[in-house]
Amino acid sequence: AQDSAGIFETIIMQVAATDDEYDFDYQMSFAHRMEQHITTTGQRLVSKLHLAWTNLYHARSAEASQHFYEILTLLEETPEKLGFIGLQLGAPIILVFDNLATLQSQIQHIIDTFELDVHIFHATARIMFATIKFWQGNIAQANVELDTSLKIWEQLGGINHVHDGVQEHLLVAMAWAEDDNHTVEQLTSPYRNNPPGQSNLAVIRARWAWLRGDKTETRDILDHFHPLDDMAKSIIGRPYRLSIEALLALDDD
């Protein structure tokens, strides 16, 4: 019936269902199709989110950061989308910004403007802030930000799986930075034999074992990853496996 709203929603569902994240041109074809059917600011926001993550996955930092900045601007016009966008925020976004202070300022401005004390957007923002503080070497403040985030999630009824994984990853990284081997062991042991379940923590465990001289465990973790040929289309899994193989290759040489 040439209903633009319906066509736009259909394209979004096609994007969600595809497993071709690795194919930049294919993903951009969805963006071009969306563009023809955008009639609202909310739709523009969703389209920008797709463009932002597509460019981030393909290491196009300048394009990704521009789209994310535009998302934050559009949010002020469409506050009803704050929860949706909050669920899409994550630590990887930080990688594409040259000026983290500006990013934090914009996010905090949104939190203050809409008084998002107990809100998904605020909860995920605090995880991002914690990551930034950790990268800056301020582990104490990173822990404060994480605690704040977790308290907000608890008030919301519980943290979701994706952001729980992000928070756990950061806790492991901070424990490692402080030579807290007990905590690293405790947090990563569940993923020794199940890397696909949380591959980022499995990789940390493999590196930690390698640095301790336990190459047997590193190889054991690698053996539980999917074969490389099966991960040809995996943007994340393939590099994780290759990074462990590279560590072990250092010993072979």
Side-chain angles (χ1 to χ4, degrees), residues 185-199:
E185 162 69 31
Q186 195 174 38
L187 292 174
T188 61
S189 60
Y191 308 110
R192 289 179 58 188
N193 302 322
N194 184 32
Q198 195 67 274
S199 53

Side-chain angles (χ1 to χ4, degrees), residues 12 15 24 27-35 38 43-58 60-68 70-71:
I12 289 296
V15 170
F24 180 78
Q27 288 296 316
M28 291 304 292
S29 73
F30 283 117
H32 296 317
R33 287 167 58 200
M34 280 184 223
E35 185 68 31
I38 293 174
Q43 290 173 334
R44 173 71 61 194
L45 193 71
V46 173
S47 175
K48 285 290 178 184
L49 188 66
H50 172 251
L51 285 167
W53 279 105
T54 297
N55 280 281
L56 184 150
Y57 281 143
H58 292 272
R60 297 169 181 257
S61 299
E63 295 89 343
S65 62
Q66 181 60 38
H67 289 307
F68 279 122
E70 290 176 16
I71 286 167

